[in-house]
């Protein structure tokens, strides 16, 4: 049985639907109105091996922030819903990922306590029309709503595009590892007995 999450969220600023299958095959149907962000979400789905559908309408006449952050909220909530009781998951995951001249490490703990660290220097403020600071805002929202620890370190990089892409790919790979089942530990991966 696939682990799925379906989130609908409507505010005065955005109207978002997210469908997630974390036991998927990396299929993505993404439409946010922000081309570069769509590309990053497609990378997330592919490298996490998740089936992800995102339909978002936002107040892009204001700026991209509300849409990106609110999609992050919904993706985080969908992850939490899909994980269910978390019995049998590996819980921890990590990835060290090269993206041409960029190297990124991501580490995640799906243990129920939100904490986010991103150490990255973007050489430019924008990638096309996309504000690079929104990479932080998206993953902060995901972390807060998935209730996970996420630490991302960009060791070095020259291209803002490659840095953002490396962050999404490395985090996707770390999440994929953490959400996988560990057949040797079929109960909760915690000495507390609760996550």
């Amino acid at each position: 049985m696939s682990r799925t999450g379906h989130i609908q969220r409507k505010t005065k600023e955005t109207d978002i639907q997210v469908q997630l299958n974390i036991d998927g095959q990396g299929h993505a149907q993404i439409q946010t109105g922000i081309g570069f962000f769509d590309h990053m979400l497609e990378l997330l789905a592919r490298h996490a091996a998740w089936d992800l559908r995102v339909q978002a309408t936002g107040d892009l006449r204001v700026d991209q922030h509300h849409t990106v952050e609110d999609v992050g909220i919904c993706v985080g909530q969908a992850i939490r819903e899909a994980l269910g009781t978390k019995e049998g998951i590996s819980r921890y995951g990590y990835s060290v990922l090269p993206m041409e001249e960029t190297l990124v490490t991501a580490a995640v703990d799906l243990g129920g306590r939100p904490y986010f660290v991103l150490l990255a220097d973007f050489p430019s403020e924008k990638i096309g029309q996309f504000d690079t600071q929104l990479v932080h805002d998206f993953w902060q929202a995901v972390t807060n709503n998935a209730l996970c620890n996420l630490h991302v370190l960009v060791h070095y990089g020259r291209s803002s595009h490659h840095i953002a892409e490396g962050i999404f790919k490395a985090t996707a790979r770390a999440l994929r590892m953490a959400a996988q089942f560990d057949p040797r530990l079929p109960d909760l991966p915690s000495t507390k007995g609760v996550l």
Side-chain angles (χ1 to χ4, degrees), residues 32-43 64 122 126-132 135 160-165 168:
T32 68
I34 305 169
F36 183 77
F37 186 44
D38 288 357
H39 178 44
M40 293 299 103
L41 293 173
E42 289 165 359
L43 293 174
Q64 300 174 349
F122 287 93
K126 287 187 178 287
I127 304 166
Q129 299 301 311
F130 184 81
D131 293 328
T132 54
V135 172
S160 292
H161 187 125
H162 291 163
I163 290 169
E165 192 165 336
F168 273 78

Side-chain angles (χ1 to χ4, degrees), residues 13 23 32 42 56 58 62 75 86-87 93 98-99 103 106 111-112 117 126-127 140 145 183 191 195:
E13 297 168 341
D23 296 315
T32 68
E42 289 165 359
V62 177
V75 168
K86 302 181 186 175
E87 289 181 357
M99 179 62 212
L103 184 67
V117 176
K126 287 187 178 287
I127 304 166
Q140 181 74 70
N145 289 274
T191 55
L195 287 178

Side-chain angles (χ1 to χ4, degrees), residues 145-165:
N145 289 274
L147 301 181
C148 67
N149 280 199
L150 174 60
H151 295 251
V152 182
L153 171 62
V154 177
H155 300 274
Y156 42 79
R158 178 194 56 80
S159 162
S160 292
H161 187 125
H162 291 163
I163 290 169
E165 192 165 336

